[in-house]
Amino acid sequence: RGFLAQWQSRQLAQWQQSMHPSAYRRLINNEDTSGEESYVTPEQVKNITILTGPTDALPGHGRVVTAIDLGLKKDATAIASVLSVPVPRGNPPILKLLALDVLTGSFDDPVQLRTVESTFLSHLKRYGAYPVLIDPWSAASLVQKYPGLILEWPFTTGHVRELTSILYRVIADKQLSIYPAAGKMWQAGEEWDLQRELINAVVKDCSYGQRVDHKSDGYSDRLMALGMCVHYLLSESSVPLLRDARPPS
Protein backbone atom coordinates (compact mmCIF):
# COMPACT_ATOMS: atom_id res chain seq x y z
CA ARG A 1 0.00 0.00 0.00
CA GLY A 2 3.04 2.25 0.10
CA PHE A 3 3.38 5.17 2.47
CA LEU A 4 0.40 5.82 4.71
CA ALA A 5 -0.39 8.99 6.58
CA GLN A 6 -0.96 8.63 10.32
CA TRP A 7 -4.73 9.06 9.97
CA GLN A 8 -4.79 6.38 7.26
CA SER A 9 -2.91 3.95 9.50
CA ARG A 10 -5.40 4.59 12.30
CA GLN A 11 -8.31 4.05 9.94
CA LEU A 12 -6.85 0.76 8.69
CA ALA A 13 -6.32 -0.38 12.26
CA GLN A 14 -9.95 0.43 13.09
CA TRP A 15 -11.18 -1.46 10.04
CA GLN A 16 -8.99 -4.43 10.90
CA GLN A 17 -10.41 -4.50 14.42
CA SER A 18 -14.04 -4.21 13.29
CA MET A 19 -14.11 -6.49 10.24
CA HIS A 20 -14.03 -10.24 9.89
CA PRO A 21 -10.48 -11.15 8.71
CA SER A 22 -11.70 -12.34 5.31
CA ALA A 23 -13.67 -9.11 4.76
CA TYR A 24 -10.56 -7.06 5.56
CA ARG A 25 -8.44 -9.06 3.13
CA ARG A 26 -11.05 -8.73 0.39
CA LEU A 27 -11.85 -5.04 0.80
CA ILE A 28 -8.48 -3.64 1.90
CA ASN A 29 -5.89 -6.06 0.53
CA ASN A 30 -7.92 -6.88 -2.60
CA GLU A 31 -7.44 -10.62 -2.05
CA ASP A 32 -9.68 -13.32 -3.42
CA THR A 33 -11.83 -14.67 -0.58
CA SER A 34 -14.49 -16.36 -2.69
CA GLY A 35 -14.15 -19.71 -0.92
CA GLU A 36 -15.65 -20.64 2.43
CA GLU A 37 -13.68 -19.61 5.51
CA SER A 38 -14.19 -20.44 9.16
CA TYR A 39 -16.38 -17.91 10.91
CA VAL A 40 -14.63 -18.14 14.28
CA THR A 41 -11.80 -20.26 15.65
CA PRO A 42 -12.08 -22.99 18.30
CA GLU A 43 -9.90 -20.81 20.54
CA GLN A 44 -12.30 -17.87 20.23
CA VAL A 45 -15.23 -20.11 21.17
CA LYS A 46 -13.29 -21.50 24.12
CA ASN A 47 -12.49 -17.97 25.31
CA ILE A 48 -16.17 -17.01 25.61
CA THR A 49 -17.36 -20.31 27.15
CA ILE A 50 -16.97 -19.11 30.71
CA LEU A 51 -20.45 -19.41 32.23
CA THR A 52 -21.35 -22.50 34.25
CA GLY A 53 -24.76 -23.14 32.73
CA PRO A 54 -28.18 -21.68 31.97
CA THR A 55 -29.58 -19.14 34.42
CA ASP A 56 -32.82 -19.86 36.28
CA ALA A 57 -33.77 -16.21 36.77
CA LEU A 58 -32.64 -12.75 35.74
CA PRO A 59 -29.42 -12.03 37.68
CA GLY A 60 -29.99 -8.45 38.83
CA HIS A 61 -30.23 -5.48 36.46
CA GLY A 62 -30.07 -5.50 32.70
CA ARG A 63 -32.06 -5.97 29.55
CA VAL A 64 -33.02 -9.37 28.16
CA VAL A 65 -34.07 -10.17 24.61
CA THR A 66 -35.39 -13.53 23.42
CA ALA A 67 -35.12 -14.72 19.81
CA ILE A 68 -36.62 -17.68 17.97
CA ASP A 69 -35.02 -19.26 14.91
CA LEU A 70 -37.93 -21.33 13.69
CA GLY A 71 -37.44 -24.69 11.98
CA LEU A 72 -40.46 -26.95 12.19
CA LYS A 73 -39.51 -29.89 9.96
CA LYS A 74 -36.04 -30.03 8.43
CA ASP A 75 -34.03 -27.92 10.88
CA ALA A 76 -34.42 -27.33 14.60
CA THR A 77 -36.15 -24.49 16.40
CA ALA A 78 -33.74 -22.61 18.66
CA ILE A 79 -34.93 -20.19 21.35
CA ALA A 80 -32.24 -18.02 22.97
CA SER A 81 -32.34 -15.36 25.69
CA VAL A 82 -29.44 -12.95 26.06
CA LEU A 83 -28.78 -10.47 28.86
CA SER A 84 -27.16 -7.10 28.22
CA VAL A 85 -25.48 -6.05 31.47
CA PRO A 86 -25.58 -2.32 32.34
CA VAL A 87 -22.23 -0.63 31.66
CA PRO A 88 -20.87 2.90 32.11
CA ARG A 89 -21.35 5.14 29.07
CA GLY A 90 -18.62 4.56 26.49
CA ASN A 91 -17.72 1.10 27.79
CA PRO A 92 -18.01 -1.97 25.55
CA PRO A 93 -21.11 -4.13 25.93
CA ILE A 94 -21.28 -7.15 28.22
CA LEU A 95 -23.60 -9.86 26.92
CA LYS A 96 -24.49 -13.17 28.57
CA LEU A 97 -26.38 -16.13 27.20
CA LEU A 98 -29.03 -16.96 29.82
CA ALA A 99 -30.70 -19.92 28.13
CA LEU A 100 -30.81 -21.75 24.81
CA ASP A 101 -33.55 -24.31 24.19
CA VAL A 102 -33.77 -26.46 21.07
CA LEU A 103 -36.80 -28.29 19.66
CA THR A 104 -36.33 -30.80 16.85
CA GLY A 105 -38.88 -32.11 14.39
CA SER A 106 -39.17 -33.97 11.10
CA PHE A 107 -41.43 -34.05 8.04
CA ASP A 108 -43.49 -36.77 9.70
CA ASP A 109 -43.46 -35.20 13.16
CA PRO A 110 -42.85 -31.44 12.88
CA VAL A 111 -42.32 -29.15 15.85
CA GLN A 112 -45.68 -27.81 17.01
CA LEU A 113 -46.11 -24.05 17.32
CA ARG A 114 -47.79 -24.54 20.69
CA THR A 115 -44.56 -26.14 21.95
CA VAL A 116 -42.57 -23.19 20.61
CA GLU A 117 -45.06 -20.88 22.32
CA SER A 118 -44.82 -22.57 25.71
CA THR A 119 -41.02 -22.56 25.51
CA PHE A 120 -40.59 -18.87 24.75
CA LEU A 121 -43.24 -18.00 27.34
CA SER A 122 -41.12 -19.85 29.92
CA HIS A 123 -38.21 -17.55 28.95
CA LEU A 124 -40.44 -14.52 29.46
CA LYS A 125 -41.52 -15.78 32.87
CA ARG A 126 -37.94 -16.37 34.01
CA TYR A 127 -36.26 -13.28 32.58
CA GLY A 128 -38.92 -10.69 31.73
CA ALA A 129 -37.55 -10.57 28.19
CA TYR A 130 -38.70 -7.93 25.73
CA PRO A 131 -39.11 -8.14 22.85
CA VAL A 132 -39.33 -11.65 21.42
CA LEU A 133 -37.78 -11.70 17.95
CA ILE A 134 -38.94 -14.04 15.21
CA ASP A 135 -38.90 -14.34 11.44
CA PRO A 136 -42.61 -13.97 10.58
CA TRP A 137 -42.39 -16.23 7.51
CA SER A 138 -43.57 -19.38 9.34
CA ALA A 139 -44.99 -17.86 12.50
CA ALA A 140 -47.64 -15.36 11.43
CA SER A 141 -50.09 -16.81 13.94
CA LEU A 142 -47.71 -16.15 16.85
CA VAL A 143 -47.03 -12.60 15.66
CA GLN A 144 -50.77 -11.94 15.50
CA LYS A 145 -51.43 -13.58 18.88
CA TYR A 146 -48.84 -11.49 20.75
CA PRO A 147 -48.90 -7.99 19.22
CA GLY A 148 -46.51 -5.64 20.95
CA LEU A 149 -44.53 -8.52 22.45
CA ILE A 150 -43.29 -10.38 19.40
CA LEU A 151 -41.21 -8.26 17.03
CA GLU A 152 -40.71 -9.35 13.44
CA TRP A 153 -37.05 -9.99 12.59
CA PRO A 154 -37.09 -11.04 8.91
CA PHE A 155 -34.05 -12.75 7.44
CA THR A 156 -33.30 -9.96 4.98
CA THR A 157 -29.89 -9.58 3.36
CA GLY A 158 -29.27 -6.49 5.47
CA HIS A 159 -30.14 -8.21 8.73
CA VAL A 160 -28.00 -11.25 7.97
CA ARG A 161 -25.03 -9.10 6.88
CA GLU A 162 -25.21 -7.02 10.06
CA LEU A 163 -25.69 -10.08 12.27
CA THR A 164 -22.65 -11.72 10.70
CA SER A 165 -20.45 -8.73 11.50
CA ILE A 166 -21.84 -7.89 14.96
CA LEU A 167 -21.82 -11.46 16.29
CA TYR A 168 -18.26 -12.02 15.09
CA ARG A 169 -17.12 -8.82 16.79
CA VAL A 170 -18.54 -9.65 20.23
CA ILE A 171 -17.04 -13.14 20.04
CA ALA A 172 -13.62 -11.92 18.91
CA ASP A 173 -13.60 -9.16 21.54
CA LYS A 174 -14.87 -11.51 24.30
CA GLN A 175 -17.87 -9.26 24.99
CA LEU A 176 -20.19 -12.27 24.90
CA SER A 177 -20.26 -15.14 27.40
CA ILE A 178 -21.86 -18.55 26.80
CA TYR A 179 -21.99 -21.81 28.72
CA PRO A 180 -20.86 -25.35 27.79
CA ALA A 181 -23.19 -27.64 25.85
CA ALA A 182 -25.69 -24.84 25.21
CA GLY A 183 -28.68 -26.17 23.30
CA LYS A 184 -27.32 -29.72 23.21
CA MET A 185 -29.52 -32.00 21.12
CA TRP A 186 -29.21 -35.04 18.83
CA GLN A 187 -29.70 -34.18 15.16
CA ALA A 188 -29.26 -36.62 12.27
CA GLY A 189 -27.64 -39.12 14.62
CA GLU A 190 -25.06 -36.66 15.96
CA GLU A 191 -24.84 -34.50 19.06
CA TRP A 192 -24.91 -30.78 18.32
CA ASP A 193 -24.69 -27.71 20.53
CA LEU A 194 -23.93 -24.02 20.16
CA GLN A 195 -20.18 -24.45 20.46
CA ARG A 196 -20.11 -27.02 17.66
CA GLU A 197 -22.26 -24.81 15.44
CA LEU A 198 -19.96 -21.83 15.97
CA ILE A 199 -16.80 -23.82 15.28
CA ASN A 200 -18.30 -25.40 12.16
CA ALA A 201 -19.80 -22.17 10.82
CA VAL A 202 -18.36 -20.53 7.72
CA VAL A 203 -18.49 -17.01 6.36
CA LYS A 204 -19.43 -16.57 2.71
CA ASP A 205 -18.97 -13.60 0.39
CA CYS A 206 -22.17 -12.44 -1.26
CA SER A 207 -23.22 -9.56 -3.47
CA TYR A 208 -24.51 -7.74 -0.39
CA GLY A 209 -21.45 -8.44 1.79
CA GLN A 210 -20.79 -11.41 4.02
CA ARG A 211 -23.11 -13.90 5.68
CA VAL A 212 -22.52 -16.57 8.26
CA ASP A 213 -23.78 -20.01 7.28
CA HIS A 214 -23.36 -23.67 8.11
CA LYS A 215 -21.54 -26.27 6.07
CA SER A 216 -23.62 -28.64 3.95
CA ASP A 217 -23.66 -31.24 6.73
CA GLY A 218 -24.11 -28.83 9.63
CA TYR A 219 -26.60 -26.60 11.42
CA SER A 220 -26.79 -22.95 12.42
CA ASP A 221 -30.12 -22.67 14.28
CA ARG A 222 -28.56 -21.99 17.69
CA LEU A 223 -26.06 -19.56 16.20
CA MET A 224 -28.80 -17.59 14.45
CA ALA A 225 -31.03 -17.34 17.52
CA LEU A 226 -28.05 -16.06 19.52
CA GLY A 227 -27.09 -13.70 16.71
CA MET A 228 -30.61 -12.27 16.46
CA CYS A 229 -30.47 -11.32 20.15
CA VAL A 230 -27.02 -9.77 19.83
CA HIS A 231 -27.96 -7.91 16.65
CA TYR A 232 -31.03 -6.37 18.26
CA LEU A 233 -29.28 -5.39 21.48
CA LEU A 234 -26.34 -3.71 19.75
CA SER A 235 -27.74 -2.35 16.49
CA GLU A 236 -30.76 -0.81 18.22
CA SER A 237 -28.56 1.04 20.76
CA SER A 238 -30.24 -1.01 23.47
CA VAL A 239 -27.20 -1.50 25.69
CA PRO A 240 -28.35 -0.36 29.16
CA LEU A 241 -26.25 2.17 31.06
CA LEU A 242 -25.53 1.84 34.76
CA ARG A 243 -27.42 5.04 35.53
CA ASP A 244 -30.46 3.68 33.65
CA ALA A 245 -30.52 0.33 35.42
CA ARG A 246 -33.76 -0.62 37.08
CA PRO A 247 -34.59 -3.71 39.10
CA PRO A 248 -36.62 -6.26 37.14
CA SER A 249 -40.35 -5.85 37.67
Side-chain angles (χ1 to χ4, degrees):
R1 288 190 292 266
F3 175 78
L4 294 176
Q6 187 176 16
W7 70 268
Q8 291 174 312
S9 297
R10 288 197 300 267
Q11 182 65 76
L12 286 174
Q14 291 174 0
W15 284 338
Q16 192 166 21
Q17 290 175 356
S18 62
M19 292 180 179
H20 189 275
S22 65
Y24 183 87
R25 294 199 307 273
R26 176 171 60 88
L27 297 173
I28 307 303
N29 295 343
N30 199 29
E31 296 179 14
D32 179 15
T33 59
S34 55
E36 294 182 352
E37 183 169 332
S38 294
Y39 182 53
V40 292
T41 67
E43 185 69 19
Q44 287 174 323
V45 175
K46 179 181 178 181
N47 287 340
I48 65 169
T49 309
I50 59 177
L51 304 177
T52 57
T55 304
D56 292 332
L58 180 62
H61 305 306
R63 180 173 188 183
V64 179
V65 169
T66 295
I68 305 169
D69 181 44
L70 196 65
L72 302 180
K73 297 179 180 179
K74 183 179 179 181
D75 297 320
T77 290
I79 303 172
S81 287
V82 174
L83 166 69
S84 183
V85 178
V87 296
R89 184 177 297 279
N91 282 31
I94 300 175
L95 306 175
K96 296 182 179 182
L97 176 64
L98 298 180
L100 177 57
D101 291 314
V102 175
L103 309 170
T104 58
S106 65
F107 285 102
D108 296 327
D109 185 23
V111 175
Q112 300 298 311
L113 281 179
R114 63 176 178 270
T115 308
V116 176
E117 181 180 7
S118 64
T119 304
F120 84 71
L121 287 176
S122 73
H123 282 232
L124 265 63
K125 183 177 181 181
R126 280 180 282 171
Y127 311 125
Y130 178 82
V132 177
L133 310 171
I134 195 170
D135 181 357
W137 179 255
S138 301
S141 61
L142 287 179
V143 175
Q144 294 170 2
K145 187 174 181 179
Y146 295 97
L149 173 62
I150 291 184
L151 180 67
E152 296 183 7
W153 196 97
F155 281 83
T156 62
T157 55
H159 268 170
V160 174
R161 180 186 66 245
E162 293 167 1
L163 180 155
T164 299
S165 175
I166 291 173
L167 181 60
Y168 171 76
R169 197 68 266 150
V170 297
I171 293 173
D173 292 343
K174 294 183 280 190
Q175 296 166 352
L176 170 69
S177 302
I178 64 175
Y179 55 87
K184 180 182 286 188
M185 184 68 68
W186 282 88
Q187 292 176 259
E190 296 183 359
E191 199 170 59
W192 283 83
D193 60 18
L194 175 61
Q195 287 85 341
R196 184 177 179 185
E197 281 193 0
L198 287 169
I199 292 170
N200 282 271
V202 294
V203 61
K204 298 180 178 180
D205 288 326
C206 305
S207 59
Y208 53 83
Q210 290 190 311
R211 68 180 176 92
V212 62
D213 202 352
H214 57 76
K215 297 177 182 178
S216 58
D217 59 346
Y219 300 94
S220 58
D221 313 288
R222 302 159 181 81
L223 181 159
M224 292 305 297
L226 173 68
M228 290 164 67
C229 292
V230 171
H231 173 270
Y232 181 84
L233 285 167
L234 299 190
S235 66
E236 298 294 330
S237 300
S238 299
V239 177
L241 301 176
L242 281 175
R243 63 176 178 80
D244 298 328
R246 297 288 185 274
S249 58

